[in-house]
Amino acid sequence: MKKMYIIVLALFFAIPMLAQEKEKEKDKKEDVYIWCVMPKQKGQWYKLEKPTLKVVNDFQTKLIYLKLLNPYDIVEKGKLDRATSDAILKMEARKGVTYESKQIVGFTQGMKNRLNLMYHIAKRAAEAKEKQ
């Protein structure tokens, strides 16, 4: 009877470990991580989120406003292409953020936050310039 309890207990603890291993394998295949170095910080791996159409449109509109992306570079509105990726890398470089990549195929939350900050600063500066 004791042996049966030990076997059941061992199986009980083994099942979650097997499930975690399968989950890790699944993450490795689907997720894209990129090495990012922020100013005055150690490098970190950030997970790139697959861009949704709404997020890409927002990025492209704001990057054009910041004059980092030429409107003619966009082949299709809402499509993340090479020109958009280059513009994002250029924007991040201005903030002192570097990536170990020639092309970004997704967005991190930090990228979105920095873009929004730069966009609103540029928008306020343009409005102030018009008033003068």
Side-chain angles (χ1 to χ4, degrees):
M1 193 70 169
K2 278 187 175 180
K3 288 182 182 178
M4 192 166 116
Y5 284 124
I6 292 171
I7 292 170
V8 170
L9 190 62
L11 288 173
F12 180 73
F13 286 115
I15 291 172
M17 289 184 350
L18 293 172
Q20 287 177 353
E21 287 176 13
K22 288 179 183 174
E23 233 175 78
K24 286 180 183 176
E25 287 175 16
K26 185 180 175 186
D27 286 346
K28 287 180 185 175
K29 292 177 185 172
E30 293 176 5
D31 294 339
V32 176
Y33 290 86
I34 190 163
W35 182 254
C36 172
V37 181
M38 301 284 289
K40 300 178 186 174
Q41 291 181 5
K42 289 185 178 179
Q44 264 187 310
W45 287 100
Y46 285 104
K47 181 180 172 184
L48 289 178
E49 300 168 9
K50 292 181 181 174
T52 62
L53 192 62
K54 181 182 176 189
V55 172
V56 175
N57 274 332
D58 186 49
F59 250 90
Q60 288 179 336
T61 303
K62 288 177 179 176
L63 287 169
I64 290 168
Y65 188 84
L66 293 170
K67 296 182 176 42
L68 291 173
L69 178 66
N70 189 334
Y72 304 107
D73 288 339
I74 301 174
V75 179
E76 284 180 49
K77 192 72 176 159
K79 184 177 177 184
L80 181 66
D81 58 2
R82 179 65 192 219
T84 311
S85 295
D86 290 345
I88 292 166
L89 288 170
K90 191 189 294 183
M91 174 199 76
E92 293 286 83
R94 286 185 180 180
K95 286 286 185 181
V97 182
T98 57
Y99 295 96
E100 293 292 323
S101 175
K102 299 288 182 197
Q103 185 173 6
I104 303 276
V105 292
F107 304 123
T108 65
Q109 190 58 48
M111 285 179 193
K112 293 175 192 174
N113 295 343
R114 287 186 293 276
L115 176 73
N116 284 331
L117 182 67
M118 284 181 73
Y119 172 72
H120 288 294
I121 290 169
K123 194 173 179 182
R124 280 191 222 114
E127 288 170 359
K129 193 175 181 181
E130 284 178 12
K131 286 180 183 177
Q132 286 179 348

